[in-house]
Amino acid sequence: MNDLGNKIARKRKDIGLTQIEFAEKLNVTRQTVSRWEAGTVMPDIDKISDIAEILEVSCDYLLRDDVTDEKDNTQKGVSRVLGALKGKRVKLNFFEDESDIDLYNKECVIEDFEGNWMRISFESKKGSAEKLIPVSSVLSFEEVKEG
């Protein structure tokens, strides 16, 4: 078995999936999974992200020998900037064609990021509210200082 095959087999077993169940989730045969795990063939590149998602690991963890953290929580570039805003009070500026009337000129708190979406909380006329918005709709973030 190669490193990739070992990682796939170990994580698949850790989450309690048989080769058949894992294969069904990926729309491949059990024999294909067996070959991956034995290291006789490598998964197609377009399957790597699906494998990582099912196994709840990063693609880097699967493909690189120097990445030992299964979740690979290192944040790079934009992810690091957005991560630094989590929990902070901000004003959002939207692209002109993406404006959000509920959030126009309002302070909100970035609660979390998930993929290309962010969950924010804000005060509305009806009280506290939460909303999920696409990160791509935001032109800029303006951090609001306390006080």
Side-chain angles (χ1 to χ4, degrees), residues 89-136:
R89 183 166 294 284
V90 297
K91 281 190 178 181
L92 303 174
N93 297 305
F94 294 91
F95 285 100
E96 199 168 302
D97 58 339
E98 302 275 347
S99 63
D100 189 316
I101 195 74
D102 293 340
L103 300 172
Y104 179 73
N105 206 26
K106 285 201 177 173
E107 293 180 13
C108 58
V109 175
I110 299 174
E111 300 294 341
D112 202 4
F113 291 96
E114 186 170 328
N116 295 325
W117 295 86
M118 66 180 173
R119 185 170 44 89
I120 59 158
S121 61
F122 60 99
E123 291 298 320
S124 72
K125 292 178 183 175
K126 298 177 184 177
S128 294
E130 281 195 355
K131 194 168 197 175
L132 195 61
I133 60 172
V135 174
S136 62

Side-chain angles (χ1 to χ4, degrees), residues 35-145:
R35 288 185 200 114
W36 293 342
E37 292 180 356
T40 57
V41 297
M42 297 285 285
D44 291 337
I45 195 69
D46 61 329
K47 287 287 184 198
I48 294 294
S49 64
D50 296 334
I51 292 168
E53 185 176 329
I54 292 166
L55 298 178
E56 299 177 355
V57 297
S58 70
C59 292
D60 279 348
Y61 170 75
L62 290 174
L63 297 173
R64 295 177 47 194
D65 293 338
D66 62 333
V67 176
T68 56
D69 182 14
E70 295 168 358
K71 292 289 184 186
D72 189 26
N73 290 327
T74 57
Q75 294 180 322
K76 296 181 176 96
V78 173
S79 297
R80 185 180 40 219
V81 171
L82 294 177
L85 290 172
K86 189 173 168 180
K88 303 249 174 124
R89 183 166 294 284
V90 297
K91 281 190 178 181
L92 303 174
N93 297 305
F94 294 91
F95 285 100
E96 199 168 302
D97 58 339
E98 302 275 347
S99 63
D100 189 316
I101 195 74
D102 293 340
L103 300 172
Y104 179 73
N105 206 26
K106 285 201 177 173
E107 293 180 13
C108 58
V109 175
I110 299 174
E111 300 294 341
D112 202 4
F113 291 96
E114 186 170 328
N116 295 325
W117 295 86
M118 66 180 173
R119 185 170 44 89
I120 59 158
S121 61
F122 60 99
E123 291 298 320
S124 72
K125 292 178 183 175
K126 298 177 184 177
S128 294
E130 281 195 355
K131 194 168 197 175
L132 195 61
I133 60 172
V135 174
S136 62
S137 68
V138 179
L139 175 63
S140 64
F141 300 86
E142 180 183 337
E143 188 174 352
V144 178
K145 300 293 181 189

